[in-house]
Amino acid sequence: ILNVEQSPQSLHVQEGDSTNFTCSFPSSNFYALHWYRWETAKSPEALFVMTLNGDEKKKGRISATLNTKEGYSYLYIKGSQPEDSATYLCALHLGDSNYQLIWGAGTKLIIKP
Amino acid sequence: EAGVTQFPSHSVIEKGQTVTLRCDPISGHDNLYWYRRVMGKEIKFLLHFVKESKQDESGMPNNRFLAERTGGTYSTLKVQPAELEDSGVYFCASSPRSRGLQFFGPGTRLTVL
């Protein structure tokens, strides 16, 4: 059974502080890693799709790195704002004929004003 | 461009009843996916359509679940008869490519009493 692990499960951060959290996954048969941001009752919003070892992607104050050899990705948020409060989900695409995403349980981020 | 839409947004039914969820993907997206998130747990893959064909239905829990995509446009997911453990949020996503970015709908929150 493949497991995608996210840590921490939840995180409280003071407004203005920077933060980061982790997605760990099996390094064999890797194809791509997706990061999504999800606010309850809304559509999960795609942040990044990362495929290459060493990839770094950035979108505004949010950035992500990827290490496929050791099987982890970090998501960073710089200068957290209240609107960053959401659950951040990572999902793995394997390099076989199976096209489904394998999901972590998410990191719930709460920004305290 | 319209995003992925799902109907209804919420459904509350009693155990033993039937419910049909609908997903309208982004126009032109051949790939359509159904996922489910049970409260507090990770999102789980249910199945994947390419046009009107089921590419992968390995995630369907049992034969009480039936998904269709007639004509390769919208899709329905029927649960008959519903059980308590079917409660959760059912997401639909679509993508133009099988391993590309997936665009999600807002989900249908199903509660089985």
Side-chain angles (χ1 to χ4, degrees):
Chain A
I1 296 177
L2 286 169
N3 275 328
V4 176
E5 304 284 346
Q6 290 191 248
S7 63
Q9 188 175 11
S10 65
L11 192 54
H12 291 246
V13 173
Q14 196 68 41
E15 181 178 353
D17 288 351
S18 297
T19 187
N20 66 84
F21 28 92
T22 308
C23 173
S24 303
F25 50 88
S27 55
S28 60
N29 204 19
F30 175 89
Y31 182 85
L33 188 82
H34 297 229
W35 278 102
Y36 285 85
R37 178 180 178 280
W38 180 45
E39 292 180 68
T40 306
K42 294 187 178 180
S43 305
E45 173 197 355
L47 294 173
F48 307 112
V49 178
M50 308 176 78
T51 56
L52 298 175
N53 184 45
D55 252 356
E56 288 189 35
K57 296 216 171 178
K58 189 174 179 183
K59 185 177 181 178
R61 293 179 293 100
I62 304 176
S63 60
T65 61
L66 178 68
N67 183 323
T68 60
K69 294 188 188 302
E70 296 180 43
Y72 64 84
S73 176
Y74 292 136
L75 190 81
Y76 300 89
I77 301 178
K78 186 177 177 182
S80 304
Q81 300 297 310
E83 60 265 28
D84 296 329
S85 295
T87 296
Y88 291 82
L89 299 159
C90 69
L92 177 68
H93 248 150
L94 294 175
D96 56 17
S97 59
N98 190 326
Y99 299 117
Q100 61 179 271
L101 285 172
I102 303 167
W103 295 82
T107 293
K108 185 171 183 176
L109 177 65
I110 298 165
I111 306 301
K112 299 179 289 184
Chain B
E1 180 183 301
V4 177
T5 57
Q6 292 187 244
F7 181 84
S9 56
H10 292 82
S11 180
V12 181
I13 61 172
E14 292 191 353
K15 177 182 170 181
Q17 290 186 317
T18 297
V19 62
T20 300
L21 314 181
R22 173 171 170 143
C23 168
D24 286 78
I26 293 172
S27 178
H29 283 192
D30 287 342
N31 294 274
L32 187 150
Y33 308 82
W34 282 99
Y35 295 91
R36 175 174 72 173
R37 188 182 197 232
V38 173
M39 191 189 301
K41 298 200 172 179
E42 65 272 16
I43 296 173
K44 292 283 194 186
F45 168 82
L46 295 177
L47 89 160
H48 170 207
F49 282 100
V50 178
K51 298 186 179 177
E52 67 275 9
S53 300
K54 291 176 186 173
Q55 173 77 23
D56 179 359
E57 51 184 332
S58 61
M60 295 287 263
N62 51 59
N63 60 10
R64 294 186 295 102
F65 288 75
L66 175 64
E68 293 179 323
R69 192 182 182 195
T70 308
T73 53
Y74 71 90
S75 175
T76 58
L77 179 66
K78 181 191 285 188
V79 185
Q80 179 182 30
E83 299 288 344
L84 299 178
E85 64 265 24
D86 300 333
S87 296
V89 181
Y90 289 77
F91 289 106
C92 173
S94 72
S95 68
R97 296 186 298 115
S98 294
R99 281 217 182 86
L101 196 61
Q102 295 184 16
F103 297 86
F104 279 74
T108 293
R109 182 173 295 277
L110 174 65
T111 303
V112 183
L113 302 174

